[in-house]
Structures are given as C-alpha cells and as structure tokens.
Amino acid sequence: MSEEKITQVTGKYDENSIQVLEGLEAVRKRPGMYIGSTGERGLHHLVYEIVDNSIDEALAGYCDKIVVELLDDGIVKVTDNGRGIPVGIHPQKGIPTVSVVFTILHAGGKFGGNGYKVSGGLHGVGASVVNALSSWLEVEVKDGKHIYTQRYEKGNIVEDLKIAGDTKESGTTVIFKPDPTIFTDTTTFDYDTLVLRLREQAFLNAGVRIVLKDSREDSDNYEKEEDFCFEGGIKSYVEFLLEKVKKEPLNENVIYLSGSKNNETAEIALLWSTAYDNKIMSFANTLHTIDGGTHETAFKQTITRVLNKYAHDFNKIKDSADNLKGDDVLEGLIAVVSVKLPDAQFESQTKAKLGNTSIGQLVREIVNDQLYHFFEENPAEAKIVIEKAIAASNAREAAQKARDASRNKAGISGKTRMPEKLKDCISNDATKTELFIVEGDSAGGSAVEGRNSTYQAILPLWGKMLNVEKAREDKVYGNDKLTPVVIALGTGIGEHFDIEKLRYDKIVIMADADVDGSHIRTLLLTFFFRYMPELIETGHIYLAQPPLFRVAKGKKYYDAFTEEERDKYIEELGGNVDVQRYKGLGEMDHDQLWETTLDPEHRTMLKVTMADAALADEVFTMLMGEEVEPRRKFIEENAVFATDLDI
C-alpha cells in the first residue's frame, strides 16, 4: 500500500492568523451557513425569513394581513399590519432598535421577555441575514403615530432612521434586492414556489390573510395575485391535501385533536384515504420541519399504538403476534401536525428538524387520549380504518413473499442471476457505466449492435407495463416487466432500497417519440418516483432524446429534434434535400442509433430532477391514478399545447 505524502504548510501560525469578521461580514463570507445555499433555495429563503417575522406578529395576535409583492429587477416587498418593529433607542446598543434588528446577528424579540410567546425566528438572525445578503434593503415602520424609514446597503446603514410622515396605522414594510454577487445563479423569484410556502402559512395560521402579487412586467405571471385565508386552519389543510392526492376519504370528516401544557400547544388534523402511501406534514411554530423531529415521531408511534389497542380491545385482532406495524397504520393517512412552543430547539438555522422532548410527550398524550375516544364514539369509522390497516398488513406480508420469490428467481446463492434479456456491459465500474432501458426488442437489437459494450448495457422491455400508481408493492415485485429492471439495477425498492448497490451511473429511458413511447416513459418515471426516488434525487435518471428527422444533401446531414429545426436545416442546405422522418428507434440501423442517441459526444439527454417534487407528485397522481375526471380535465385544458402527434 502506498503511503500518502503530507506536505507541511509553511508560514507562521500566531495571533495574526486568526481573522475576526465584524458585523455582518460573516454572513456574506459564509452565506450557506445561514440560508442553506446561495442557489434558488437560498434565494427564496430570504423571503421566508421576512415573512416569518410577520407570522410571528400573527402568532402574538397583532397581525392579520401580510402582503408579498414581487417587483422588477428581483426586488421583493413584504408588508404586514403588526405592531411595527420598535424604533426607540436600544438600551444596550444606543441606536434605534430597528437598526439593531437589521444589522446585528442574534438580535430580536425572541430570546425572552414579553415580546413573543412563541416564534419561528428562534435565532434572531433572519432580518439581519436578509439585509447582509441584499444589495440594498429599506425598512418602513408605522407605530400608530409616525412613519419611520431607514436604508441599508450590503448590511450597512447608509441613512439614519428618520420620520417620513404621520399615520394612525401600524406595521412593517421591508423592501430588498438580493445581491447578485452572492446569488450568482439567479435572483429571479419563482412565483409558484412562493405560492406553495405562503398558502402553507395561511393554513397554519387560521384567519390570517396572506396575499402574493406579481408586479414584474417581464413575468409570465404579471398582475397575477393569490389571496389566501383559511378559517378552518389545519383541518382545511388536510382537505386540500386530500384533493391533491385525488383519493377518496375513509372518514366522514377530518379528525381534529388538540391540547396544551406549560405554554406548549399541539394541534393535529388527520383522516385516512384510499391511497397506498401517506402524506404527513409536520410544523413547529409554523415552520415546516421537513426532516420531522420529536413531534412527528411521537405522532407516528402513538397512532400505531392506539390503533392496535383499539383493535385488540374490540376483537378486531385476536393474537398479539398479529399487531399492526407502523406502515400498516399509516397507509393512506393524510395528517398535519402543528406544534407551538416558546423555546423551539431546531437542528439548524434552516429549521428542518425539531428536537424538544417535551412536545413529543404532549403529542403522545393528545393522540393517545383523544384519538382512542374518537374511535369509541365512531365505531363505524374505526372499523373502516382498522380494515384498511389489516389489508395493508396482508399486502406487506405478500410483498415480502414476492420479494423472496423474486430473489429466488434471480438466484438463491450470493451471486444474482441477471435478467435474460439484459445485455450487460464489460466494465464493473458503477461510476462509469450506463443502462439503456429500451422500448421493444427491435430497438433493443439495434442498440445492442450500436452501443459501446465496454460501458453501455441494454435492457429491452416489451408488452404492457404495470401502472404502479394503482398497485401495492407486492404487485410490483411480482410484475414480469418491472422485475428485470429491479434486478438489473441491484438496489432493491421501497424501504429495502440501497443506492450503494446501484450497478450503473446513468439509467437512460430510451423510447420512441410517439404516444406509446410517452406512455412507457411515464410508467417508468412513475415507478422510479414512487419506489426509487433517491435515483432521481441523486441525478441518475435520464431521458434519451432521439431525433425526429434527418436532413441530408449529398454527404452533409443534420439531425433535427423539432419541425422548426428541420425547416432551419432545409433552408441552410439550400432546399432540394432528402428529409428522413424517424418513425421509431427500431427503424434506425445500429450506426444511426449510435450517432444520434448513444454516442456521448453527440447525443442529447434530459436529466430527470426532483426540483418540484410536490408538483411531480400531483401530476403523477392525476395522470396515472384511478380518478378519471381530473385526468380528463387536464387533457382538455392542455390539448391545445399538443403538437407533432403520431396517430
């Protein structure tokens, strides 16, 4: 084994080596520490931080309207009708308090005292971080007597706080322009991304009105406005989520549970649906805890315990060995868990996971007492829910048997037998290999002849593939069209998925550019999205883009992917050309398939991403689910955009 050579750093290490960043310099130096990234996600986080401050005013009972307006040149304006940030001289810093809030880290009304009982802005860095990462920021404060204004540039005060007029109103307006030297990818806010976040906040704060306006003249959403206000709070949220998953409810109404102890409160809204997966959203002080935490864990554990207790108490399950597992109970569940507490302990500034143990105990008590009581009072609904969980348990056991059968079919010994139709590559280096999943034996044959067998593998698929949107896991494992894909990839699926066992770096779906090809692509993408989402998240799934036309004149030719490209090449070659329309991959000879679709030097491929998982989830459910009416409506609304149909 060769030893790594360590080169010693030359230079003096003393008191002069330690750098101290003053004021907000630290934020500009390491912005990712405060907002997660300097990409699109971090950009939108700036808006969230300012809106969260307004939400804190709503939680305190002083604000019932928040307006977010997108202006030209990447500028955002956030206005609320709360109390207004204090403008008096701060006793410790000797400058106006509003200046302290926007220029000093960890300064805010959320560390104690009587300013806020609960707050999402735990760290007190939100306003100052937004200020630090903006080219400029202006704040306007109304305190019921005067209008105060102040301007900052890159976190620094450039204008003293001044009185700009008189008013009887109160509230705060913040206008800022993200710094393009920080956000080098983009400073353009996505309207739909903000819609998702602001609608979510309106659900979590019953009765608070949140408005989003797009005033950008160059925007596709110019003059579009969303106005959110939900008196039903999180019960309305569950109804909204049910509508999105396009499934039927098993409960007559949304079940609502709530309670409080020691200034901590928890409210939970839930119902079961006919879906096979679940949708559980958890929040702490109105912030979405996407990685869960003590409140979400307590909810899942206790709801499983309650259903098992009820099932045994009322003889729905007789043997303790037949206890329902968590996955059985959670199948089809749609729930929102929202907790509010004075000293929320998050893992980071981005607040993805809650760590308070006391709130977990409160959630356990609420679910244990109130949900069991609900089942006692509503035995008909309890029966339906228990039967759903038992059916899920039976399907889980069937899936295990199907998995075992699939493994036996693949080879009982440690060495897995690959699918018969798979033409594997020579290389075993999983970081450089590619698997092309090809529609049909004809195209598969051309691909096998045309490929570079050193690193390119070909797996032809044939016949009608299973629509996994309508099937449980046991049916997926038993499907003869999907099993070869699972075995070839080597990762397993669902809860048994292990990306470390992936045998190929790129998985390329290669189907014809017609209706059948689109259907196969959608079925495969639905399968990956539901059972192997990590492949999409880590950028392993691609769509091949075979050309539609070849325009040739003599020995010179171009491959065109659209009719517009075709016409451009015809004109470029001076007319009187030979135009070949590729009807399908199977009609290309192996040389053409290599040149147009397989050759890394010339091919065009689309990487499938999870940039908008929520939208993808909704579209897959709508297009591939059991409900006909939403699908028909989508087709009617989008048929006008369909072009180049091969019928």
Side-chain angles (χ1 to χ4, degrees), residues 552-592:
K553 188 172 186 178
K555 292 185 178 181
K556 192 171 185 179
Y557 66 86
Y558 294 104
D559 287 318
F561 294 86
T562 65
E563 290 184 349
E564 289 76 13
E565 274 193 333
R566 177 199 63 191
D567 295 342
K568 184 185 79 171
Y569 293 142
I570 291 173
E571 183 179 351
E572 190 173 315
L573 291 173
N576 193 24
V577 298
D578 179 32
V579 178
Q580 177 187 357
R581 165 69 190 250
Y582 293 118
K583 284 292 185 183
L585 294 167
E587 294 188 9
M588 291 187 187
D589 62 38
H590 63 273
D591 288 331
Q592 287 178 323

mmCIF file of all heavy atoms in Angstrom, residues 552-592:
data_model
loop_
_atom_site.group_PDB
_atom_site.id
_atom_site.type_symbol
_atom_site.label_atom_id
_atom_site.label_comp_id
_atom_site.label_asym_id
_atom_site.label_seq_id
_atom_site.Cartn_x
_atom_site.Cartn_y
_atom_site.Cartn_z
ATOM 1 N N ALA A 552 -30.624 15.717 -45.184
ATOM 2 C CA ALA A 552 -29.346 15.418 -45.847
ATOM 3 C C ALA A 552 -29.306 15.991 -47.257
ATOM 4 O O ALA A 552 -30.317 16.072 -47.958
ATOM 5 C CB ALA A 552 -29.129 13.916 -45.885
ATOM 6 N N LYS A 553 -28.102 16.395 -47.645
ATOM 7 C CA LYS A 553 -27.847 16.824 -49.020
ATOM 8 C C LYS A 553 -26.445 16.363 -49.362
ATOM 9 O O LYS A 553 -25.451 16.877 -48.809
ATOM 10 C CB LYS A 553 -27.976 18.337 -49.159
ATOM 11 C CG LYS A 553 -27.913 18.818 -50.608
ATOM 12 C CD LYS A 553 -28.253 20.305 -50.694
ATOM 13 C CE LYS A 553 -28.333 20.747 -52.147
ATOM 14 N NZ LYS A 553 -28.709 22.184 -52.264
ATOM 15 N N GLY A 554 -26.384 15.374 -50.238
ATOM 16 C CA GLY A 554 -25.087 14.782 -50.530
ATOM 17 C C GLY A 554 -24.571 14.063 -49.298
ATOM 18 O O GLY A 554 -25.291 13.292 -48.655
ATOM 19 N N LYS A 555 -23.330 14.343 -48.927
ATOM 20 C CA LYS A 555 -22.746 13.705 -47.756
ATOM 21 C C LYS A 555 -22.960 14.516 -46.467
ATOM 22 O O LYS A 555 -22.596 14.068 -45.384
ATOM 23 C CB LYS A 555 -21.242 13.506 -47.975
ATOM 24 C CG LYS A 555 -20.915 12.486 -49.061
ATOM 25 C CD LYS A 555 -19.414 12.251 -49.152
ATOM 26 C CE LYS A 555 -19.096 11.186 -50.201
ATOM 27 N NZ LYS A 555 -17.639 10.921 -50.287
ATOM 28 N N LYS A 556 -23.546 15.696 -46.629
ATOM 29 C CA LYS A 556 -23.768 16.549 -45.470
ATOM 30 C C LYS A 556 -25.165 16.319 -44.917
ATOM 31 O O LYS A 556 -26.130 16.227 -45.682
ATOM 32 C CB LYS A 556 -23.588 18.021 -45.856
ATOM 33 C CG LYS A 556 -23.523 18.968 -44.670
ATOM 34 C CD LYS A 556 -23.127 20.373 -45.113
ATOM 35 C CE LYS A 556 -22.937 21.297 -43.926
ATOM 36 N NZ LYS A 556 -22.529 22.656 -44.333
ATOM 37 N N TYR A 557 -25.281 16.201 -43.586
ATOM 38 C CA TYR A 557 -26.607 15.982 -42.999
ATOM 39 C C TYR A 557 -26.673 16.605 -41.596
ATOM 40 O O TYR A 557 -25.653 16.868 -40.951
ATOM 41 C CB TYR A 557 -26.912 14.483 -42.904
ATOM 42 C CG TYR A 557 -26.025 13.714 -41.959
ATOM 43 C CD1 TYR A 557 -26.320 13.630 -40.602
ATOM 44 C CD2 TYR A 557 -24.872 13.079 -42.426
ATOM 45 C CE1 TYR A 557 -25.506 12.935 -39.737
ATOM 46 C CE2 TYR A 557 -24.047 12.384 -41.570
ATOM 47 C CZ TYR A 557 -24.376 12.309 -40.209
ATOM 48 O OH TYR A 557 -23.552 11.632 -39.344
ATOM 49 N N TYR A 558 -27.899 16.836 -41.161
ATOM 50 C CA TYR A 558 -28.180 17.314 -39.807
ATOM 51 C C TYR A 558 -29.298 16.458 -39.215
ATOM 52 O O TYR A 558 -30.224 16.040 -39.925
ATOM 53 C CB TYR A 558 -28.646 18.770 -39.806
ATOM 54 C CG TYR A 558 -27.614 19.776 -40.250
ATOM 55 C CD1 TYR A 558 -27.684 20.354 -41.519
ATOM 56 C CD2 TYR A 558 -26.590 20.172 -39.395
ATOM 57 C CE1 TYR A 558 -26.752 21.289 -41.924
ATOM 58 C CE2 TYR A 558 -25.650 21.113 -39.804
ATOM 59 C CZ TYR A 558 -25.741 21.669 -41.063
ATOM 60 O OH TYR A 558 -24.814 22.594 -41.463
ATOM 61 N N ASP A 559 -29.242 16.220 -37.908
ATOM 62 C CA ASP A 559 -30.347 15.580 -37.204
ATOM 63 C C ASP A 559 -31.154 16.657 -36.491
ATOM 64 O O ASP A 559 -30.595 17.505 -35.772
ATOM 65 C CB ASP A 559 -29.825 14.562 -36.185
ATOM 66 C CG ASP A 559 -29.289 13.318 -36.879
ATOM 67 O OD1 ASP A 559 -29.942 12.861 -37.832
ATOM 68 O OD2 ASP A 559 -28.224 12.815 -36.466
ATOM 69 N N ALA A 560 -32.478 16.631 -36.693
ATOM 70 C CA ALA A 560 -33.361 17.664 -36.136
ATOM 71 C C ALA A 560 -34.298 17.036 -35.106
ATOM 72 O O ALA A 560 -34.845 15.952 -35.324
ATOM 73 C CB ALA A 560 -34.169 18.327 -37.250
ATOM 74 N N PHE A 561 -34.475 17.751 -33.996
ATOM 75 C CA PHE A 561 -35.314 17.246 -32.910
ATOM 76 C C PHE A 561 -36.715 17.856 -32.935
ATOM 77 O O PHE A 561 -37.593 17.406 -32.203
ATOM 78 C CB PHE A 561 -34.638 17.531 -31.555
ATOM 79 C CG PHE A 561 -33.357 16.762 -31.368
ATOM 80 C CD1 PHE A 561 -32.149 17.257 -31.840
ATOM 81 C CD2 PHE A 561 -33.360 15.533 -30.738
ATOM 82 C CE1 PHE A 561 -30.973 16.547 -31.681
ATOM 83 C CE2 PHE A 561 -32.189 14.804 -30.570
ATOM 84 C CZ PHE A 561 -30.997 15.320 -31.044
ATOM 85 N N THR A 562 -36.911 18.887 -33.752
ATOM 86 C CA THR A 562 -38.222 19.524 -33.878
ATOM 87 C C THR A 562 -38.467 19.871 -35.343
ATOM 88 O O THR A 562 -37.540 19.868 -36.165
ATOM 89 C CB THR A 562 -38.300 20.826 -33.046
ATOM 90 O OG1 THR A 562 -37.365 21.775 -33.591
ATOM 91 C CG2 THR A 562 -37.977 20.564 -31.579
ATOM 92 N N GLU A 563 -39.722 20.197 -35.644
ATOM 93 C CA GLU A 563 -40.045 20.624 -37.004
ATOM 94 C C GLU A 563 -39.357 21.940 -37.334
ATOM 95 O O GLU A 563 -38.950 22.173 -38.477
ATOM 96 C CB GLU A 563 -41.558 20.763 -37.150
ATOM 97 C CG GLU A 563 -42.294 19.427 -37.123
ATOM 98 C CD GLU A 563 -43.782 19.594 -37.358
ATOM 99 O OE1 GLU A 563 -44.259 20.754 -37.338
ATOM 100 O OE2 GLU A 563 -44.468 18.575 -37.573
ATOM 101 N N GLU A 564 -39.211 22.813 -36.322
ATOM 102 C CA GLU A 564 -38.547 24.094 -36.544
ATOM 103 C C GLU A 564 -37.086 23.886 -36.926
ATOM 104 O O GLU A 564 -36.563 24.539 -37.848
ATOM 105 C CB GLU A 564 -38.644 24.975 -35.279
ATOM 106 C CG GLU A 564 -40.023 25.511 -34.977
ATOM 107 C CD GLU A 564 -40.954 24.458 -34.395
ATOM 108 O OE1 GLU A 564 -40.466 23.365 -33.991
ATOM 109 O OE2 GLU A 564 -42.178 24.714 -34.365
ATOM 110 N N GLU A 565 -36.414 22.968 -36.225
ATOM 111 C CA GLU A 565 -35.020 22.653 -36.565
ATOM 112 C C GLU A 565 -34.934 22.073 -37.967
ATOM 113 O O GLU A 565 -34.029 22.399 -38.737
ATOM 114 C CB GLU A 565 -34.443 21.658 -35.545
ATOM 115 C CG GLU A 565 -33.856 22.299 -34.313
ATOM 116 C CD GLU A 565 -33.034 21.305 -33.508
ATOM 117 O OE1 GLU A 565 -33.308 20.095 -33.583
ATOM 118 O OE2 GLU A 565 -32.110 21.747 -32.817
ATOM 119 N N ARG A 566 -35.873 21.182 -38.282
ATOM 120 C CA ARG A 566 -35.890 20.583 -39.622
ATOM 121 C C ARG A 566 -35.961 21.657 -40.703
ATOM 122 O O ARG A 566 -35.179 21.656 -41.665
ATOM 123 C CB ARG A 566 -37.094 19.647 -39.744
ATOM 124 C CG ARG A 566 -37.274 19.019 -41.124
ATOM 125 C CD ARG A 566 -38.695 18.501 -41.290
ATOM 126 N NE ARG A 566 -39.662 19.600 -41.217
ATOM 127 C CZ ARG A 566 -40.981 19.422 -41.117
ATOM 128 N NH1 ARG A 566 -41.488 18.200 -41.087
ATOM 129 N NH2 ARG A 566 -41.793 20.472 -41.053
ATOM 130 N N ASP A 567 -36.895 22.599 -40.543
ATOM 131 C CA ASP A 567 -37.071 23.654 -41.543
ATOM 132 C C ASP A 567 -35.834 24.538 -41.632
ATOM 133 O O ASP A 567 -35.446 24.992 -42.714
ATOM 134 C CB ASP A 567 -38.306 24.491 -41.197
ATOM 135 C CG ASP A 567 -39.594 23.673 -41.283
ATOM 136 O OD1 ASP A 567 -39.571 22.606 -41.922
ATOM 137 O OD2 ASP A 567 -40.610 24.095 -40.693
ATOM 138 N N LYS A 568 -35.199 24.787 -40.486
ATOM 139 C CA LYS A 568 -33.987 25.614 -40.474
ATOM 140 C C LYS A 568 -32.867 24.944 -41.270
ATOM 141 O O LYS A 568 -32.165 25.587 -42.061
ATOM 142 C CB LYS A 568 -33.535 25.854 -39.026
ATOM 143 C CG LYS A 568 -32.327 26.779 -38.910
ATOM 144 C CD LYS A 568 -31.847 26.883 -37.475
ATOM 145 C CE LYS A 568 -31.035 25.661 -37.095
ATOM 146 N NZ LYS A 568 -30.353 25.763 -35.803
ATOM 147 N N TYR A 569 -32.706 23.622 -41.076
ATOM 148 C CA TYR A 569 -31.647 22.905 -41.783
ATOM 149 C C TYR A 569 -31.945 22.798 -43.278
ATOM 150 O O TYR A 569 -31.023 22.823 -44.105
ATOM 151 C CB TYR A 569 -31.465 21.514 -41.176
ATOM 152 C CG TYR A 569 -30.919 21.536 -39.775
ATOM 153 C CD1 TYR A 569 -31.367 20.634 -38.805
ATOM 154 C CD2 TYR A 569 -29.947 22.455 -39.400
ATOM 155 C CE1 TYR A 569 -30.866 20.653 -37.513
ATOM 156 C CE2 TYR A 569 -29.441 22.485 -38.107
ATOM 157 C CZ TYR A 569 -29.910 21.583 -37.164
ATOM 158 O OH TYR A 569 -29.413 21.613 -35.896
ATOM 159 N N ILE A 570 -33.241 22.650 -43.638
ATOM 160 C CA ILE A 570 -33.613 22.614 -45.056
ATOM 161 C C ILE A 570 -33.193 23.918 -45.733
ATOM 162 O O ILE A 570 -32.610 23.929 -46.820
ATOM 163 C CB ILE A 570 -35.128 22.379 -45.214
ATOM 164 C CG1 ILE A 570 -35.496 20.953 -44.784
ATOM 165 C CG2 ILE A 570 -35.569 22.628 -46.659
ATOM 166 C CD1 ILE A 570 -36.986 20.681 -44.745
ATOM 167 N N GLU A 571 -33.484 25.034 -45.044
ATOM 168 C CA GLU A 571 -33.128 26.346 -45.596
ATOM 169 C C GLU A 571 -31.612 26.511 -45.655
ATOM 170 O O GLU A 571 -31.057 27.041 -46.627
ATOM 171 C CB GLU A 571 -33.754 27.445 -44.734
ATOM 172 C CG GLU A 571 -33.514 28.846 -45.261
ATOM 173 C CD GLU A 571 -34.177 29.903 -44.387
ATOM 174 O OE1 GLU A 571 -34.957 29.531 -43.489
ATOM 175 O OE2 GLU A 571 -33.899 31.096 -44.608
ATOM 176 N N GLU A 572 -30.925 26.034 -44.622
ATOM 177 C CA GLU A 572 -29.470 26.177 -44.555
ATOM 178 C C GLU A 572 -28.778 25.398 -45.665
ATOM 179 O O GLU A 572 -27.752 25.829 -46.197
ATOM 180 C CB GLU A 572 -28.986 25.684 -43.181
ATOM 181 C CG GLU A 572 -27.535 25.996 -42.888
ATOM 182 C CD GLU A 572 -27.154 25.639 -41.462
ATOM 183 O OE1 GLU A 572 -27.941 25.968 -40.543
ATOM 184 O OE2 GLU A 572 -26.089 25.032 -41.277
ATOM 185 N N LEU A 573 -29.364 24.249 -46.040
ATOM 186 C CA LEU A 573 -28.770 23.425 -47.095
ATOM 187 C C LEU A 573 -29.229 23.834 -48.489
ATOM 188 O O LEU A 573 -28.886 23.200 -49.488
ATOM 189 C CB LEU A 573 -29.088 21.947 -46.852
ATOM 190 C CG LEU A 573 -28.392 21.307 -45.640
ATOM 191 C CD1 LEU A 573 -28.914 19.906 -45.398
ATOM 192 C CD2 LEU A 573 -26.883 21.301 -45.825
ATOM 193 N N GLY A 574 -30.039 24.870 -48.558
ATOM 194 C CA GLY A 574 -30.427 25.430 -49.843
ATOM 195 C C GLY A 574 -31.545 24.694 -50.546
ATOM 196 O O GLY A 574 -31.669 24.766 -51.773
ATOM 197 N N GLY A 575 -32.385 23.962 -49.796
ATOM 198 C CA GLY A 575 -33.508 23.267 -50.411
ATOM 199 C C GLY A 575 -33.066 22.043 -51.197
ATOM 200 O O GLY A 575 -31.885 21.678 -51.240
ATOM 201 N N ASN A 576 -34.030 21.389 -51.851
ATOM 202 C CA ASN A 576 -33.774 20.187 -52.652
ATOM 203 C C ASN A 576 -32.981 19.161 -51.840
ATOM 204 O O ASN A 576 -31.915 18.672 -52.255
ATOM 205 C CB ASN A 576 -33.027 20.548 -53.939
ATOM 206 C CG ASN A 576 -33.036 19.392 -54.925
ATOM 207 O OD1 ASN A 576 -33.914 18.532 -54.867
ATOM 208 N ND2 ASN A 576 -32.043 19.367 -55.801
ATOM 209 N N VAL A 577 -33.480 18.881 -50.643
ATOM 210 C CA VAL A 577 -32.775 17.991 -49.723
ATOM 211 C C VAL A 577 -33.580 16.711 -49.513
ATOM 212 O O VAL A 577 -34.763 16.622 -49.855
ATOM 213 C CB VAL A 577 -32.558 18.683 -48.355
ATOM 214 C CG1 VAL A 577 -31.690 19.913 -48.509
ATOM 215 C CG2 VAL A 577 -33.893 19.034 -47.707
ATOM 216 N N ASP A 578 -32.928 15.741 -48.922
ATOM 217 C CA ASP A 578 -33.590 14.483 -48.555
ATOM 218 C C ASP A 578 -33.928 14.552 -47.068
ATOM 219 O O ASP A 578 -33.028 14.676 -46.234
ATOM 220 C CB ASP A 578 -32.662 13.300 -48.841
ATOM 221 C CG ASP A 578 -33.302 11.975 -48.442
ATOM 222 O OD1 ASP A 578 -34.539 11.866 -48.543
ATOM 223 O OD2 ASP A 578 -32.565 11.064 -48.012
ATOM 224 N N VAL A 579 -35.227 14.484 -46.737
ATOM 225 C CA VAL A 579 -35.664 14.544 -45.343
ATOM 226 C C VAL A 579 -36.193 13.177 -44.931
ATOM 227 O O VAL A 579 -37.137 12.654 -45.518
ATOM 228 C CB VAL A 579 -36.772 15.606 -45.134
ATOM 229 C CG1 VAL A 579 -37.227 15.607 -43.682
ATOM 230 C CG2 VAL A 579 -36.263 16.983 -45.542
ATOM 231 N N GLN A 580 -35.544 12.588 -43.943
ATOM 232 C CA GLN A 580 -35.976 11.290 -43.432
ATOM 233 C C GLN A 580 -36.671 11.493 -42.088
ATOM 234 O O GLN A 580 -36.129 12.131 -41.192
ATOM 235 C CB GLN A 580 -34.779 10.351 -43.256
ATOM 236 C CG GLN A 580 -35.152 8.993 -42.666
ATOM 237 C CD GLN A 580 -33.926 8.147 -42.349
ATOM 238 O OE1 GLN A 580 -32.800 8.546 -42.619
ATOM 239 N NE2 GLN A 580 -34.146 6.975 -41.771
ATOM 240 N N ARG A 581 -37.864 10.956 -41.942
ATOM 241 C CA ARG A 581 -38.589 11.019 -40.673
ATOM 242 C C ARG A 581 -38.356 9.705 -39.927
ATOM 243 O O ARG A 581 -38.669 8.641 -40.436
ATOM 244 C CB ARG A 581 -40.089 11.220 -40.920
ATOM 245 C CG ARG A 581 -40.990 10.936 -39.692
ATOM 246 C CD ARG A 581 -40.792 11.973 -38.603
ATOM 247 N NE ARG A 581 -41.468 11.576 -37.372
ATOM 248 C CZ ARG A 581 -42.545 12.172 -36.887
ATOM 249 N NH1 ARG A 581 -43.063 13.193 -37.511
ATOM 250 N NH2 ARG A 581 -43.086 11.770 -35.767
ATOM 251 N N TYR A 582 -37.745 9.794 -38.745
ATOM 252 C CA TYR A 582 -37.543 8.595 -37.944
ATOM 253 C C TYR A 582 -38.863 8.207 -37.295
ATOM 254 O O TYR A 582 -39.360 8.898 -36.414
ATOM 255 C CB TYR A 582 -36.505 8.840 -36.847
ATOM 256 C CG TYR A 582 -35.102 9.075 -37.349
ATOM 257 C CD1 TYR A 582 -34.453 10.281 -37.112
ATOM 258 C CD2 TYR A 582 -34.414 8.084 -38.039
ATOM 259 C CE1 TYR A 582 -33.160 10.505 -37.558
ATOM 260 C CE2 TYR A 582 -33.120 8.292 -38.486
ATOM 261 C CZ TYR A 582 -32.501 9.512 -38.247
ATOM 262 O OH TYR A 582 -31.223 9.713 -38.688
ATOM 263 N N LYS A 583 -39.447 7.112 -37.704
ATOM 264 C CA LYS A 583 -40.715 6.675 -37.131
ATOM 265 C C LYS A 583 -40.523 6.046 -35.759
ATOM 266 O O LYS A 583 -41.392 6.074 -34.912
ATOM 267 C CB LYS A 583 -41.382 5.664 -38.070
ATOM 268 C CG LYS A 583 -42.030 6.306 -39.288
ATOM 269 C CD LYS A 583 -43.220 7.143 -38.876
ATOM 270 C CE LYS A 583 -43.946 7.684 -40.094
ATOM 271 N NZ LYS A 583 -45.069 8.552 -39.723
ATOM 272 N N GLY A 584 -39.384 5.446 -35.543
ATOM 273 C CA GLY A 584 -39.146 4.793 -34.262
ATOM 274 C C GLY A 584 -37.705 4.371 -34.144
ATOM 275 O O GLY A 584 -36.970 4.276 -35.137
ATOM 276 N N LEU A 585 -37.276 4.088 -32.911
ATOM 277 C CA LEU A 585 -35.897 3.682 -32.681
ATOM 278 C C LEU A 585 -35.575 2.395 -33.430
ATOM 279 O O LEU A 585 -34.462 2.191 -33.909
ATOM 280 C CB LEU A 585 -35.670 3.476 -31.176
ATOM 281 C CG LEU A 585 -35.770 4.738 -30.314
ATOM 282 C CD1 LEU A 585 -35.834 4.354 -28.849
ATOM 283 C CD2 LEU A 585 -34.594 5.659 -30.561
ATOM 284 N N GLY A 586 -36.584 1.513 -33.539
ATOM 285 C CA GLY A 586 -36.373 0.236 -34.202
ATOM 286 C C GLY A 586 -36.083 0.363 -35.683
ATOM 287 O O GLY A 586 -35.558 -0.565 -36.309
ATOM 288 N N GLU A 587 -36.444 1.513 -36.289
ATOM 289 C CA GLU A 587 -36.209 1.722 -37.717
ATOM 290 C C GLU A 587 -34.822 2.281 -38.003
ATOM 291 O O GLU A 587 -34.422 2.378 -39.160
ATOM 292 C CB GLU A 587 -37.284 2.645 -38.293
ATOM 293 C CG GLU A 587 -38.676 2.034 -38.267
ATOM 294 C CD GLU A 587 -39.688 2.871 -39.015
ATOM 295 O OE1 GLU A 587 -39.275 3.831 -39.684
ATOM 296 O OE2 GLU A 587 -40.878 2.567 -38.928
ATOM 297 N N MET A 588 -34.116 2.702 -36.952
ATOM 298 C CA MET A 588 -32.743 3.172 -37.158
ATOM 299 C C MET A 588 -31.810 1.966 -37.235
ATOM 300 O O MET A 588 -31.968 1.003 -36.476
ATOM 301 C CB MET A 588 -32.293 4.052 -35.990
ATOM 302 C CG MET A 588 -32.989 5.388 -35.881
ATOM 303 S SD MET A 588 -32.183 6.378 -34.576
ATOM 304 C CE MET A 588 -33.276 7.785 -34.485
ATOM 305 N N ASP A 589 -30.833 2.018 -38.120
ATOM 306 C CA ASP A 589 -29.823 0.963 -38.072
ATOM 307 C C ASP A 589 -28.877 1.265 -36.912
ATOM 308 O O ASP A 589 -28.930 2.332 -36.303
ATOM 309 C CB ASP A 589 -29.078 0.838 -39.406
ATOM 310 C CG ASP A 589 -28.316 2.103 -39.795
ATOM 311 O OD1 ASP A 589 -27.739 2.752 -38.904
ATOM 312 O OD2 ASP A 589 -28.292 2.427 -41.002
ATOM 313 N N HIS A 590 -28.026 0.319 -36.582
ATOM 314 C CA HIS A 590 -27.210 0.473 -35.369
ATOM 315 C C HIS A 590 -26.244 1.649 -35.455
ATOM 316 O O HIS A 590 -25.947 2.292 -34.447
ATOM 317 C CB HIS A 590 -26.450 -0.824 -35.057
ATOM 318 C CG HIS A 590 -25.463 -1.223 -36.092
ATOM 319 N ND1 HIS A 590 -25.798 -1.981 -37.200
ATOM 320 C CD2 HIS A 590 -24.126 -0.976 -36.206
ATOM 321 C CE1 HIS A 590 -24.721 -2.198 -37.929
ATOM 322 N NE2 HIS A 590 -23.691 -1.595 -37.358
ATOM 323 N N ASP A 591 -25.777 1.968 -36.667
ATOM 324 C CA ASP A 591 -24.877 3.114 -36.805
ATOM 325 C C ASP A 591 -25.612 4.421 -36.512
ATOM 326 O O ASP A 591 -25.080 5.319 -35.841
ATOM 327 C CB ASP A 591 -24.285 3.157 -38.218
ATOM 328 C CG ASP A 591 -23.267 2.052 -38.444
ATOM 329 O OD1 ASP A 591 -22.633 1.634 -37.456
ATOM 330 O OD2 ASP A 591 -23.122 1.607 -39.592
ATOM 331 N N GLN A 592 -26.844 4.540 -37.052
ATOM 332 C CA GLN A 592 -27.632 5.754 -36.808
ATOM 333 C C GLN A 592 -27.961 5.899 -35.326
ATOM 334 O O GLN A 592 -27.917 6.998 -34.764
ATOM 335 C CB GLN A 592 -28.925 5.721 -37.625
ATOM 336 C CG GLN A 592 -28.738 5.951 -39.113
ATOM 337 C CD GLN A 592 -30.050 5.854 -39.858
ATOM 338 O OE1 GLN A 592 -30.909 5.040 -39.533
ATOM 339 N NE2 GLN A 592 -30.213 6.692 -40.879
#
